[in-house]
Amino acid sequence: MNSKKAIAVMASGRGSNLKVILESVAAGACPVDVRLVISDKADAEALQIARAAGVAHVVWMNPKDYQDRAQFDAACADLIDHHGCQWIVLAGYMRILSSFFVRRFPQRIINIHPSILPSFAGARAVEDALSYGVKVSGCTVHLVDEVLDGGSILAQAIVPVLDHDTRESLHVRIQKEEHQLYPKTLTRMVEQGFKIDGRSVIWLS
Ligand code: GRF
């Protein structure tokens, strides 16, 4: 019987964050059981990564099979509960979650975002930081609530923005930090736990 915390990962794309989480779990550094990986894209590399790592349940959920976003989200939520996943880890999941889904899993959904929130929320965070001309950017791991990229902050890491950065070069630098920060934060959530005070996450012990 596996007593580790079961998590579901939802990913739409390349899956590099999923990959580092799985590597950290395999190395014994992150005490979770990635029991379920869901993607809304049939060709997401994340699905191949999950299968190659031997994740127990790897599922492509086709949005076209559902009448609307609410029904699609309800089917995902049922699957997550069916497999007994306590946490939902968003790793490059490109669909906005319905309020219903977020309310069903209060303080149990986390996301990684490629900026220092609350600056540059939204899908164009890296481009927006560059065009604003900031000199540092980075990534944020946060709880998901009903405000887009607006939940309480669990952890952040910063990187410099260099004079001739492009969206790609800056994103590569940010992702290096993401790959450290996401597994580390997940581990801390399991081992240490946290409480919420106002908007702030207070780590326990
Ligand atoms: C990451 O940069 C993350 O911050 C954002 O989407 C990207 C996902 O990358 N939410 P990957 O699919 O994990 O490589």
Side-chain angles (χ1 to χ4, degrees):
M1 167 97 184
N2 192 341
S3 61
K4 287 180 181 173
K5 270 206 191 292
I7 65 169
V9 177
M10 299 177 84
S12 303
R14 219 159 57 87
S16 69
N17 282 286
L18 167 65
K19 187 161 186 278
V20 293
I21 290 169
L22 288 166
E23 284 169 355
S24 180
V25 172
C30 186
V32 300
D33 168 21
V34 181
R35 191 170 293 171
L36 169 66
V37 170
I38 296 175
S39 183
D40 58 323
K41 299 267 188 253
D43 58 352
E45 266 180 75
L47 289 171
Q48 294 164 33
I49 290 169
R51 287 192 198 104
V55 171
H57 307 282
V58 182
V59 184
W60 166 46
M61 300 279 288
N62 185 356
K64 294 202 176 102
D65 290 343
Y66 300 87
Q67 248 171 25
D68 54 22
R69 189 152 61 100
Q71 287 204 7
F72 177 81
D73 281 2
C76 291
D78 287 346
L79 197 61
I80 288 163
D81 277 342
H82 175 75
H83 290 298
C85 299
Q86 285 107 320
W87 277 330
I88 300 149
V89 173
L90 306 181
Y93 187 63
M94 296 311 289
R95 291 172 70 83
I96 293 179
L97 295 168
S98 55
S99 298
F100 146 82
F101 186 96
V102 174
R103 280 200 298 265
R104 180 146 157 187
F105 303 106
Q107 293 180 14
R108 286 169 56 197
I109 311 172
I110 64 171
N111 182 43
I112 189 154
H113 181 79
S115 77
I116 296 296
L117 290 171
S119 293
F120 313 118
R124 293 173 48 86
V126 181
E127 296 91 309
D128 289 348
L130 267 183
S131 22
Y132 195 91
V134 292
K135 297 299 185 196
V136 292
S137 189
C139 52
T140 303
V141 179
H142 63 93
L143 294 169
V144 172
D145 66 12
E146 289 175 59
V147 178
L148 180 67
D149 299 322
S152 291
I153 291 170
L154 289 153
Q156 293 183 304
I158 57 169
V159 302
V161 178
L162 305 180
D163 285 350
H164 301 294
D165 261 335
T166 59
R167 196 200 85 84
E168 288 69 32
S169 65
L170 179 56
H171 199 197
V172 167
R173 198 173 308 116
I174 291 172
Q175 283 223 296
K176 276 197 186 133
E177 292 302 322
E178 292 187 343
H179 296 160
Q180 302 293 320
L181 194 68
Y182 218 3
K184 224 165 56 185
T185 305
L186 208 46
T187 303
R188 204 171 179 199
M189 288 171 69
V190 177
E191 292 184 339
Q192 212 173 328
F194 62 88
K195 64 176 183 175
I196 307 285
D197 180 9
R199 274 200 51 90
S200 300
V201 167
I202 311 290
W203 292 101
L204 303 175
S205 65

